[in-house]
Amino acid sequence: GTHAEVRAHVVINATGVWTDEVQALSHQRGRFHVRASKGVHIVVPRDRIVSDAAIILRTATSVLFVIPWGTHWIIGTTDTDWNLDLAHPAATRADIDYLLERVNQVLVTPLTPDDIDGVYAGLRPLLAGESDESSKLSREHAVARIAPGLVAIAGGKYTTYRVMAYDAVDEAAQD
């Protein structure tokens, strides 16, 4: 509830699915438009899948993975548009059914909803404008100078955060 004044020569807008909202605060024409794509994962006990290694499956529109994690498996992910509260992505029954249907195509013993110990959802910030389907939007990142002293980075993947940070800081260093 307190306010503080912060002064800087350069600000990097690296706010993911909130990129558009933060760009609007600058009163400058934004260079990016970001669409939120929901990814849902389910967590099942390790003894429910007989395997010693991760499983990667190709679906009609994406990749499904089954990754060992301690005493559990993480199964994911979905890729659907999210137009509701960005701070509270939520899994639906359809998301869970989709994951179970896809993974059960390759398992000897099918999983049921009763096997699920946990479910979580997150949002990917996808650069919009390339396609109407979230699965076809770019997973690449882009960096732009919105105004002198304001650099924005949008898109990208969690697994490429170091490259993304390097590119954003290089652009910001010019100011």
Side-chain angles (χ1 to χ4, degrees), residues 1-171:
T2 62
H3 291 111
E5 185 172 320
V6 177
R7 296 179 186 268
H9 293 285
V10 183
V11 173
I12 298 175
N13 175 7
T15 55
V17 294
W18 290 276
T19 296
D20 295 355
E21 287 83 350
V22 174
Q23 279 184 156
L25 295 173
S26 73
H27 303 293
Q28 301 292 321
R29 181 178 168 269
R31 302 278 168 84
F32 305 122
H33 177 63
V34 172
R35 278 179 51 189
S37 174
K38 180 179 63 169
V40 172
H41 304 78
I42 58 176
V43 181
V44 300
R46 190 71 175 258
D47 65 356
R48 293 299 297 128
I49 299 174
V50 180
S51 180
D52 293 324
I55 303 167
I56 306 294
L57 306 169
R58 190 92 172 113
T59 70
T61 58
S62 65
V63 174
L64 184 81
F65 57 81
V66 182
I67 299 175
W69 179 62
T71 60
H72 288 82
W73 293 95
I74 297 174
I75 302 168
T77 181
T78 62
D79 193 2
T80 53
D81 279 334
W82 181 258
N83 297 309
L84 301 173
D85 184 355
L86 296 175
H88 298 96
T92 65
R93 180 61 187 221
D95 294 325
I96 294 167
D97 289 345
Y98 169 83
L99 293 172
L100 289 174
E101 287 171 17
R102 295 306 173 276
V103 76
N104 283 340
Q105 292 174 355
V106 299
L107 296 180
V108 173
T109 305
L111 298 173
T112 70
D114 291 336
D115 294 317
I116 298 172
D117 280 349
V119 177
Y120 62 95
L123 298 176
R124 291 176 204 89
L126 303 180
L127 291 172
E130 298 175 27
S131 170
D132 289 337
E133 295 177 47
S134 65
S135 63
K136 298 225 188 330
L137 293 173
S138 177
R139 268 45 175 184
E140 298 299 315
H141 68 276
V143 177
R145 175 172 278 98
I146 305 303
L150 178 59
V151 171
I153 182 164
K157 295 189 283 190
Y158 185 67
T159 55
T160 61
Y161 70 92
R162 286 187 175 134
V163 173
M164 294 169 62
Y166 182 88
D167 291 348
V169 170
D170 268 6
E171 187 69 27

